[in-house]
């Protein structure tokens, strides 16, 4: 334990330190890591869980990532777009129930029809909710101009996962074309900050060919990039994707889950005041995944408010939980989960990243 304790109390982690922590398997040691991270979370961001009511407003995607179930070439997917009224209705529920913040997520499109619609919708949501609802976007790579327009229209946080920072591995999990360029993704993260957003990123854990060293680099990237919010979770194979072919080479789902929990704990120690989401993918692999993520250092939950009729068409991976649940039920479930771990929900608070607030004005 002394080696573990020495590492846990270091000022900063090297890649080797991170690999050491991610390699822990002894239950008492893993628990010591998790407990240390949880104490840091409580001290720095408190024990409130902030909600982000999620609407997956379209599953149409112009991209073809090798891991994702709604990739362009999966022609078994019924493509949908949630109507403006349905989006407004879902967010009205979020507002009236004091969620305070929401996320609009979609497949990636950058045609003018799409970018214009998002801008108009943002303005409508803001107006309908008395400018009170905080809005996060998760709509992929766009031009700086589009990011600026969306920021002006009312969104103030943006999630764009880097997916994987090892360039070689990035190329193996994406088509080799100009739509899936690693450098463009990095540039998009920079542009988001230029546009004024609180910037979120993240990566998948347990991808085929991914090593613990790769994951250590992913975590260090988040730190070096001075990211405000993180959503990361286990890779889950999907039959209708090219990566399905490598399913026999993956870590077991339990190992991927455990590794994801360790990643949350390590990142919380590395970045004390950021927002970290306890992701849906965690809950897919373990019915108590969301609570376990929160106990390891996460402080954000994203209950799904997408109208029920669209749920089965937004399957990025298989086994997604919460299918066909009404928003009322979704609210009850998250309240129950949060209460079970002795935390409270930050109702009525945006719950912005403290890291963003704490950054010196000169750096923003
Ligand atoms: N397993 C886990 N996460 C996935 N995503 C896409 N496909 C999968 C998968 N098979 C994640 C990506 C993307 C986010 C919206 O969902 O990280 O950025
Ligand atoms: Fe599209 Fe995102 Fe899926 Fe890639 S991960 S295919 S960009 S929805």
């Amino acid at each position: 334990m002394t080696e573990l304790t020495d590492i846990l109390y270091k000022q900063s982690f090297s890649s080797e330190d991170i690999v050491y922590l991610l390699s822990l398997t002894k239950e008492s040691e893993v628990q010591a890591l998790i407990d240390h991270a949880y104490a840091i979370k409580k001290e720095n961001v408190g024990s409130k869980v902030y909600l982000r009511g999620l609407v997956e407003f379209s599953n149409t995607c112009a991209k073809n990532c090798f891991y994702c179930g709604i990739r362009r070439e999966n022609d078994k997917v019924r493509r949908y777009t949630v109507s403006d009224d349905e989006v407004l209705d879902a967010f009205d529920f979020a507002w009236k129930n004091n969620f305070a913040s929401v996320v609009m997520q979609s497949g990636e499109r950058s045609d003018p029809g799409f970018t214009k619609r998002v801008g108009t919708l943002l303005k409508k949501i803001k107006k309908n909710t008395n400018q009170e609802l905080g809005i996060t976007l998760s709509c992929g790579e766009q031009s700086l101009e589009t990011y600026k327009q969306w920021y002006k229209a009312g969104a103030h946080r943006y999630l764009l996962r880097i997916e994987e920072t090892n360039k070689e591995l990035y190329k193996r999990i994406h088509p080799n074309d100009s739509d899936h360029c690693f450098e463009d993704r990095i540039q998009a993260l920079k542009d988001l900050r230029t546009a004024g957003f609180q910037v979120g990123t993240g990566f998948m854990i347990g991808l085929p060919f991914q090593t613990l060293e790769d994951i250590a680099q992913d975590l260090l990237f988040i730190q070096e990039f001075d990211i405000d919010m993180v959503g990361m979770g286990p890779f889950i194979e999907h039959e209708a994707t090219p990566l399905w072919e490598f399913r026999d080479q993956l870590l077991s789902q339990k190992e991927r889950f455990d590794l994801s929990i360790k990643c949350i704990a390590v990142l919380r120690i590395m970045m004390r005041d950021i927002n970290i989401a306890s992701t849906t993918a965690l809950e897919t692999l373990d019915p108590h995944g969301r609570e376990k993520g929160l106990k390891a250092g996460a402080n954000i939950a994203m209950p799904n408010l997408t109208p029920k009729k669209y749920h089965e068409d937004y399957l990025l991976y298989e086994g997604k939980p919460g299918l066909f649940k009404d928003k009322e039920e979704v609210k009850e479930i998250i309240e129950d989960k949060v209460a079970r771990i002795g935390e409270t929900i930050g109702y009525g608070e945006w719950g912005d990243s403290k890291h963003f607030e704490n950054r010196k004005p000169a750096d923003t």
Side-chain angles (χ1 to χ4, degrees):
M1 219 32 134
T2 43
E3 190 179 0
L4 171 59
T5 313
D6 286 350
I7 293 180
L8 287 179
Y9 285 91
K10 276 189 172 181
Q11 285 293 331
S12 63
F13 291 159
S14 64
S15 172
E16 292 73 29
D17 295 332
I18 297 173
V19 170
Y20 177 92
L21 295 171
L22 299 181
S23 309
L24 295 174
T25 49
K26 221 168 130 192
E27 216 180 302
S28 58
E29 294 191 330
V30 174
Q31 199 55 49
L33 165 67
I34 289 172
D35 290 347
H36 185 66
Y38 191 64
I40 288 178
K41 162 182 148 170
K42 281 214 291 201
E43 196 183 313
N44 291 275
V45 295
S47 48
K48 269 190 197 162
V49 179
Y50 296 103
L51 299 186
R52 314 282 184 240
L54 171 69
V55 172
E56 297 154 336
F57 70 95
S58 171
N59 66 350
T60 302
C61 188
K63 285 188 143 182
N64 225 356
C65 309
F66 289 161
Y67 41 85
C68 177
I70 62 168
R71 60 199 300 272
R72 186 182 70 222
E73 279 177 14
N74 183 3
D75 52 19
K76 291 198 191 79
V77 176
R78 196 171 36 160
R79 303 290 166 175
Y80 71 80
T81 298
V82 180
S83 71
D84 281 14
D85 283 348
E86 287 170 318
V87 174
L88 292 172
D89 182 59
F91 288 161
D92 187 60
F93 174 88
W95 181 51
K96 294 205 169 115
N97 283 280
N98 270 321
F99 280 27
S101 277
V102 293
V103 180
M104 285 175 67
Q105 187 172 66
S106 67
E108 191 170 315
R109 279 174 58 185
S110 48
D111 53 284
F114 177 78
T115 55
K116 203 163 158 245
R117 178 186 181 221
V118 172
T120 313
L121 202 45
L122 284 168
K123 285 184 203 150
K124 280 192 198 168
I125 297 163
K126 280 300 216 191
K127 186 159 172 267
N128 264 24
T129 62
N130 202 22
Q131 310 291 325
E132 286 171 12
L133 211 51
I135 309 176
T136 306
L137 286 176
S138 175
C139 304
E141 285 167 49
Q142 305 289 343
S143 66
L144 175 59
E145 202 42 49
T146 298
Y147 287 150
K148 283 183 178 165
Q149 277 165 16
W150 287 352
Y151 185 84
K152 205 166 147 222
H156 76 290
R157 312 182 193 108
Y158 203 105
L159 301 170
L160 183 77
R161 290 189 179 183
I162 188 66
E163 313 293 3
E164 172 49 52
T165 60
N166 175 336
K167 221 168 121 179
E168 292 313 308
L169 180 50
Y170 189 92
K171 283 187 187 160
R172 287 180 88 169
I173 61 170
H174 294 100
N176 182 18
D177 62 29
S178 58
D179 286 340
H180 300 82
C181 171
F182 180 76
E183 285 76 16
D184 287 352
R185 205 147 181 97
I186 301 273
Q187 186 57 46
L189 284 172
K190 291 181 182 160
D191 288 347
L192 283 167
R193 183 156 288 156
T194 307
F197 284 101
Q198 292 177 37
V199 181
T201 194
F203 57 94
M204 283 173 286
I205 298 158
L207 284 161
F209 325 116
Q210 190 185 40
T211 63
L212 291 185
E213 285 74 17
D214 291 330
I215 296 178
Q217 289 312 312
D218 293 337
L219 291 167
L220 287 166
F221 168 86
I222 288 173
Q223 190 177 42
E224 276 153 28
F225 214 93
D226 208 19
I227 281 295
D228 304 306
M229 333 178 285
V230 172
M232 56 188 175
F235 164 70
I236 304 169
E237 59 276 31
H238 188 299
E239 195 174 357
T241 64
L243 291 193
W244 179 252
E245 176 189 343
F246 304 104
R247 63 193 177 283
D248 296 337
Q249 298 176 35
L250 298 172
L251 294 174
S252 71
Q253 291 204 337
K254 161 111 181 41
E255 286 168 319
R256 273 177 269 161
F257 177 84
D258 291 346
L259 190 52
S260 303
I261 294 291
K262 284 185 265 184
C263 281
I264 291 178
V266 171
L267 185 64
R268 174 56 71 199
I269 301 169
M270 291 167 71
M271 299 191 77
R272 298 172 173 237
D273 56 358
I274 62 170
N275 278 347
I276 304 178
S278 191
T279 56
T280 312
L282 281 175
E283 202 171 43
T284 307
L285 297 190
D286 181 322
H288 298 295
R290 231 186 259 279
E291 299 93 298
K292 289 180 184 172
L294 294 168
K295 288 294 278 182
N299 65 328
I300 302 288
M302 294 163 58
N304 193 349
L305 304 182
T306 311
K308 250 191 334 188
K309 65 180 184 205
Y310 302 112
H311 285 194
E312 64 178 318
D313 299 318
Y314 205 87
L315 297 182
L316 308 182
Y317 43 80
E318 286 176 345
K320 196 170 152 188
L323 290 183
F324 316 118
K325 292 213 167 62
D326 283 322
K327 39 193 188 311
E328 289 77 12
E329 205 181 337
V330 166
K331 177 175 182 267
E332 274 171 30
I333 293 173
I334 191 67
E335 281 178 345
D336 182 55
K337 284 180 184 289
V338 171
R340 270 168 199 273
I341 59 164
E343 298 206 339
T344 53
I345 291 180
Y347 279 123
E349 296 175 59
W350 273 12
D352 275 333
S353 165
K354 284 210 165 56
H355 191 72
F356 184 82
E357 290 163 16
N358 290 342
R359 198 181 293 135
K360 288 186 221 88
D363 295 342
T364 53

